[in-house]
């Protein structure tokens, strides 16, 4: 039974979501304050965190920053509908996905399962190694090395880069990346792939010629280069 930590100060909403998620087979804990959530996330066994952006005392963004300093646990953000700034900020800081509020309990459960499936799938291939040039990835342990040094990636960044590494030198469509890395089709105007790729580009640095290791073809997709 997967354990979910639901962090939101909306009592009515958290009660509704907890009831639904419990019926769907999840074990759910609730924290209505970011400061309490930090202790719960670190002191108990939690598989995934659902985190609201707007909270008293400590915002969801600040809490996400503190979580990412010590943990790669999957985090799904709850954001205000249409607020692209919060969504992009959350993705840039390491959130694995987001759901706009108000959201249906069914959609939330589906997103949680998709993230947890990716985590379990990776854990099941402990001995596998994916290599593309100077990039070495271990899907089982979610550990990556770049040019002989550890590469610090969030869970979603690892999944996206793994897709590109498995098809290194080839153009991979954004739709294909979304299906293989996130487990769902890409919707119109959805920028989360671009935001995550931008973060990975920054972490890889530039090639000797000054270009990015991940090349983009406008409107089509991305390609991971292998040669310098």
């Amino acid at each position: 039974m997967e354990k979910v930590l639901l962090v939101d100060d909306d009592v009515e909403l958290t009660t509704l979501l907890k009831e639904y998620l419990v019926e769907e087979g999840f074990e759910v804990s609730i924290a209505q304050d970011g400061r309490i959530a930090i202790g719960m996330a670190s002191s108990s066994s939690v598989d995934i965190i659902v985190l609201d952006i707007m909270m008293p005392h400590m915002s969801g963004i600040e809490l996400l920053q503190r979580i990412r300093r010590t943990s790669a646990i999957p985090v799904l953000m709850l954001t205000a509908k249409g607020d692209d700034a919060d969504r992009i900020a959350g993705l840039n800081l390491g959130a694995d996905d987001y759901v706009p509020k108000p959201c249906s309990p069914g959609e939330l459960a589906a997103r949680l399962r998709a993230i947890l499936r990716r985590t379990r799938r990776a854990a099941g291939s402990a001995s596998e190694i994916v290599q593309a040039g100077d990039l070495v990835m271990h899907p089982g342990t979610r550990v990556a090395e770049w040019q002989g040094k550890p590469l610090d990636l969030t869970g979603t960044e690892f999944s996206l880069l793994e897709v590109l590494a498995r098809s290194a030198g080839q153009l991979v469509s954004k739709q294909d990346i979304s299906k293989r890395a996130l487990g769902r089709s890409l919707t119109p105007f959805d920028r989360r792939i671009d935001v995550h790729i931008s973060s990975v580009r920054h972490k890889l640095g530039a090639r000797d010629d000054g270009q990015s290791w991940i090349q983009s073809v406008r409107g089509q997709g991305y390609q991971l280069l292998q040669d310098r």
Side-chain angles (χ1 to χ4, degrees):
M1 183 179 292
E2 287 91 355
K3 297 181 180 179
V4 179
L5 175 58
L6 183 57
V7 187
D8 195 318
D9 65 325
D10 187 330
V11 177
E12 184 177 352
L13 177 62
T14 53
T15 300
L16 171 66
L17 293 178
K18 179 175 181 177
E19 290 178 354
Y20 184 89
L21 292 175
V22 168
E23 289 181 359
E24 290 293 305
F26 294 94
E27 181 178 331
V28 182
S29 300
I30 295 176
Q32 293 172 339
D33 184 305
R35 296 172 299 186
I36 297 174
I38 290 177
M40 294 178 68
S42 60
S43 64
S44 61
S45 176
V46 176
D47 297 305
I48 191 167
I49 297 174
V50 178
L51 178 59
D52 186 30
I53 288 283
M54 300 298 296
M55 289 188 301
H57 308 302
M58 181 185 296
S59 72
I61 292 296
E62 183 181 353
L63 177 56
L64 177 59
Q65 287 178 306
R66 296 185 63 171
I67 290 172
R68 281 291 172 259
R69 290 173 191 165
T70 59
S71 174
I73 186 172
V75 175
L76 186 150
M77 302 289 291
L78 296 178
T79 66
K81 191 171 184 179
D83 195 336
D84 287 340
D86 279 344
R87 296 176 187 177
I88 293 173
L91 293 174
N92 280 331
L93 290 172
D96 293 86
D97 202 353
Y98 65 80
V99 174
K101 295 174 68 175
C103 66
S104 71
E107 179 183 7
L108 179 61
R111 295 289 183 90
L112 292 174
R113 288 197 177 97
I115 295 172
L116 291 167
R117 274 198 304 271
R118 298 200 303 269
T119 304
R120 288 195 298 267
R121 186 168 61 244
S125 53
S127 62
E128 184 183 11
I129 295 177
V130 178
Q131 185 164 3
D134 292 333
L135 175 66
V136 180
M137 308 187 76
H138 304 266
T141 56
R142 309 292 276 179
V143 171
E145 300 168 12
W146 175 241
Q147 297 178 347
K149 297 179 181 179
L151 181 61
D152 184 20
L153 299 170
T154 67
T156 297
E157 289 171 357
F158 188 99
S159 297
L160 293 175
L161 186 54
E162 182 186 351
V163 169
L164 294 178
R166 290 181 182 277
S167 302
Q170 304 174 40
L171 179 67
V172 186
S173 72
K174 291 172 65 173
Q175 189 65 257
D176 195 19
I177 293 173
S178 184
K179 289 179 179 178
R180 291 165 60 185
L182 305 181
R184 64 173 180 276
S185 298
L186 193 67
T187 57
F189 310 111
D190 191 335
R191 298 181 57 195
R192 74 193 77 196
I193 297 291
D194 304 303
V195 174
H196 286 304
I197 291 293
S198 176
S199 177
V200 175
R201 278 174 163 165
H202 177 73
K203 293 177 180 181
L204 294 179
R207 288 158 43 92
D208 292 342
D209 60 7
Q211 297 188 63
S212 170
W213 283 98
I214 300 178
Q215 297 290 301
S216 61
V217 177
R218 187 175 180 83
Q220 296 187 42
Y222 293 97
Q223 173 186 359
L224 175 66
L225 302 180
Q226 299 184 76
D227 301 325
R228 292 179 178 274

